[in-house]
Amino acid sequence: MNPHTDSLARFTEELGGIRVLSAPEQLRRKSRDFFWYSPILNEQLEGRTADLVVVPQTEDEVVTIARAAARHGLPVTVRGGGTGNYGQCVPLAGGVVLDMTAMNRILSIRDGVAEVQAGVLLHALQQEAEKVGQQLRMFPSTLRAATVGGFIAGGSAGVGSVRNGVLKDPGNVLSVQVVTLEETPRVLELQGEDVQKVHHAYGTNGIITRVTLALQAAVHWYHSIATFGSYADATRFCHGICGTDIDLFLLTAVESGFTPYYKHLAEYFPPGSHAVFAMVGEDSRERYRAQARAFGGQETLCLPEAELHARRLPPAYECAYNHTTLQALKADKSWTYLQFEHPHPFDLDLCTRFKQRFGDEVLCHDEFLRATPTEYGAYGLPLVRFTTAARQYEIMDFLEASGCLIFDPHVYTIEDGGMKTIDQNQLAFKRLADPAGLMNPGKMKAWEAQRAPA
Ligand SMILES: Cc1cc2nc3c(=O)[nH]c(=O)nc-3n(C[C@H](O)[C@H](O)[C@H](O)COP(=O)(O)OP(=O)(O)OC[C@H]3O[C@@H](n4cnc5c(N)ncnc54)[C@H](O)[C@@H]3O)c2cc1C
């Protein structure tokens, strides 16, 4: 017996003309994300499905949905493009999935600032921004499929982070508008530091309806591949050029074990070589190429995105972040992955020790980024051959003992994933924006803990 049957009927009556989806295949598709990257999450989350999907087109419709869900006590899980990796938009308690993708209006683009509805695809915003000489300051490698709201509520960093830091750094996300889940929903505006109350909160504490993002002046980026004789040389090069005057938007190192998954790039990333994928500013190309040579490498490809497209080659950003993982998973489902932040200062020998310890059970992949206004660092996203959950945690233990900060990709709560500690500001904001705890239940551990009987 579905515990929500009666409330669903009453909820639906209050929706007026708001679009709903209820066919089993639609419910299944809109209840999933990329949690299957993790065999552990796959086992836990497969089959969790919403009872109904609602697709609002206006802010008034979002308010109507929030009011009706609060009145009838229905769980609400907000969804953007559904590209999260950790089951962030999987409805653990059934109820309603609130699909934001029809809230896709770009409201304004001014010099350095864009205001958009939260369901706008990042790619659509990028295209519009470029028409007026502007660009996103960063985006996930899922640029084409992810929404602005989903990136803010579920993401953290990405392509552009080597130039502009991570999403939470001041000046990247300027403000958000949030609808509360109450019988009388409120529309709240969070500005500056207050944006952190909902950033990476997995949609547990309010429905983001509008976002104001900072933009940067457009740069004509060239997508480069450089190859090296060893992975140590590749990472030494990346570490060496961070913070120089070479204008970079992406800097990704992958070891030679990835070549079977990049067969379409074999001419530029041949077997036996280790590659650095990068986006390099037009004016920095010569210096970049010379530095690659100075570190023992050679550039094998350097083209703008339009030219890559014409040659049916992928842009560098689709060879980076979790697209790298995807390349391997498409060919071989026995891989999974880990995510961690390298120690500060960067330990040049860590990858060598990691390979010595785990051999072909792991493949190294690192993303270089601006960690603080003055310091550069790297995120590791190694592939790991999946055997058991216990083995995943043994490998994480090794990395943690080596000074890395683990972002466990095999868990679905905010705190276990990367936060590690309870974010009191997010918890306090949940009390205010979702007092009945209906939003994405089960994802914020701190909330569940305070509700558990003593
Ligand atoms: C191949 C691949 C590559 C990736 N690369 C990156 C990367 O480079 N950087 C990175 O940070 N992440 C990356 N990710 C993870 C994911 O793509 C990003 O976090 C992405 O921005 C999520 O956007 P989305 O619209 O798909 O959000 P969804 O997956 O739909 O949602 C993500 C979370 O946000 C919540 N949410 C969505 N919209 C709203 C809203 N309007 N209001 C409140 N809550 C909301 C959802 O409930 C969910 O908890 C990658 C994932 C894959 C599969």
Side-chain angles (χ1 to χ4, degrees):
M1 168 71 186
N2 182 338
H4 304 308
T5 306
D6 292 342
S7 6
L8 271 167
R10 290 197 294 272
F11 169 80
T12 313
E13 276 168 20
E14 292 179 20
L15 292 182
I18 297 172
R19 187 168 171 230
V20 297
L21 310 175
S22 57
E25 182 47 30
Q26 290 171 323
L27 297 180
R28 198 191 79 84
R29 218 162 25 83
K30 296 285 185 180
S31 299
R32 297 178 62 76
D33 62 13
F34 283 70
F35 62 78
W36 54 268
Y37 273 34
S38 157
I40 300 169
L41 286 181
N42 204 26
E43 210 173 294
Q44 293 169 355
L45 300 180
E46 185 60 54
R48 305 284 189 122
T49 306
D51 299 298
L52 195 71
V53 178
V54 287
V55 193
Q57 304 207 14
T58 63
E59 284 162 14
D60 284 349
E61 289 189 350
V62 173
V63 169
T64 301
I65 293 164
R67 179 189 301 118
R71 195 177 285 169
H72 301 297
L74 270 180
V76 173
T77 302
V78 189
R79 177 187 176 89
T83 64
N85 296 105
Y86 327 115
Q88 286 129 300
C89 61
V90 175
L92 297 180
V96 175
V97 159
L98 172 50
D99 177 340
M100 292 295 288
T101 51
M103 294 273 297
N104 58 4
R105 281 178 49 219
I106 295 172
L107 302 167
S108 68
I109 299 180
R110 302 185 308 263
D111 213 15
V113 183
E115 191 185 2
V116 298
Q117 288 187 327
V120 164
L121 289 179
L122 286 156
H123 186 245
L125 176 55
Q126 178 81 322
Q127 283 188 320
E128 286 308 304
E130 283 182 345
K131 285 182 190 163
V132 291
Q134 306 277 301
Q135 268 171 359
L136 294 168
R137 287 170 66 82
M138 72 189 67
F139 52 82
S141 62
T142 46
L143 176 69
R144 292 174 207 270
T147 62
V148 173
F151 188 35
I152 288 158
S156 50
V159 184
S161 287
V162 72
R163 194 178 204 251
N164 297 314
V166 299
L167 258 184
K168 73 166 188 263
D169 288 347
N172 285 329
V173 185
L174 304 178
S175 71
V176 293
Q177 179 183 284
V178 176
V179 172
T180 63
L181 209 91
E182 301 177 281
E183 291 196 28
T184 309
R186 287 168 290 161
V187 180
L188 307 175
E189 167 109 356
L190 302 177
Q191 294 195 348
E193 189 51 27
D194 276 348
V195 170
Q196 304 312 323
K197 292 176 181 172
V198 294
H199 168 45
H200 209 72
Y202 292 7
T204 55
N205 58 5
I207 304 161
I208 301 171
T209 44
R210 281 190 192 205
V211 180
T212 312
L213 283 179
L215 301 173
Q216 67 179 27
V219 175
H220 193 202
W221 297 111
Y222 277 71
H223 298 237
S224 157
I225 303 177
T227 56
F228 293 81
S230 74
Y231 192 63
D233 282 348
T235 50
R236 214 165 278 136
F237 163 67
C238 292
H239 180 251
I241 61 165
C242 279
T244 65
D245 63 353
I246 295 174
D247 198 2
L248 295 166
F249 201 65
L250 175 73
L251 195 59
T252 306
V254 295
E255 67 154 270
S256 64
F258 277 92
T259 53
Y261 313 120
Y262 282 106
K263 287 205 174 103
H264 51 304
L265 291 174
E267 195 181 325
Y268 315 103
F269 177 22
S273 66
H274 305 260
V276 173
F277 293 89
M279 287 168 70
V280 185
E282 185 170 24
D283 297 340
S284 296
R285 279 176 302 164
E286 277 310 322
R287 270 168 293 148
Y288 181 84
R289 195 169 297 141
Q291 281 299 309
R293 275 198 302 271
F295 280 86
Q298 59 161 344
E299 194 175 58
T300 54
L301 181 77
C302 183
L303 290 173
E305 186 164 356
E307 185 66 24
L308 289 169
H309 188 69
R311 297 190 192 189
R312 295 176 179 275
L313 294 172
Y317 60 80
E318 288 185 354
C319 304
Y321 284 87
N322 263 318
H323 262 80
T324 313
T325 320
L326 186 59
Q327 296 297 335
L329 276 168
K330 276 197 279 193
D332 183 349
K333 291 277 187 301
S334 68
W335 287 114
T336 186
Y337 72 124
L338 291 178
Q339 300 185 144
F340 64 90
E341 185 174 350
H342 279 263
H344 296 280
F346 188 71
D347 175 354
L348 278 164
D349 294 324
L350 175 64
C351 294
T352 309
R353 293 200 308 278
F354 187 52
K355 284 297 280 186
Q356 276 165 353
R357 173 81 163 76
F358 297 104
D360 291 343
E361 189 178 354
V362 298
L363 294 184
C364 289
H365 160 204
D366 294 290
E367 296 290 342
F368 288 78
L369 77 161
R370 215 189 69 202
T372 70
T374 52
E375 246 188 331
Y376 287 80
Y379 286 162
L381 288 95
L383 288 188
V384 180
R385 213 39 103 180
F386 187 75
T387 48
T388 62
R391 184 63 174 165
Q392 293 293 306
Y393 287 97
E394 259 176 66
I395 300 173
M396 284 187 240
D397 286 348
F398 169 89
L399 290 167
E400 204 158 26
S402 308
C404 304
L405 179 65
I406 305 293
F407 306 123
D408 185 353
H410 300 301
V411 290
Y412 57 71
T413 62
I414 307 168
E415 292 91 339
D416 289 335
M419 288 287 187
K420 307 292 178 213
T421 55
I422 292 169
D423 185 324
Q424 295 295 347
N425 285 333
Q426 291 191 347
L427 179 61
F429 193 68
K430 184 168 174 73
R431 290 196 188 105
L432 186 147
D434 177 30
L438 294 169
M439 293 202 67
N440 211 353
K443 304 289 171 57
M444 188 191 273
K445 251 176 124 177
W447 178 266
E448 311 300 327
Q450 61 153 31
R451 291 189 341 155

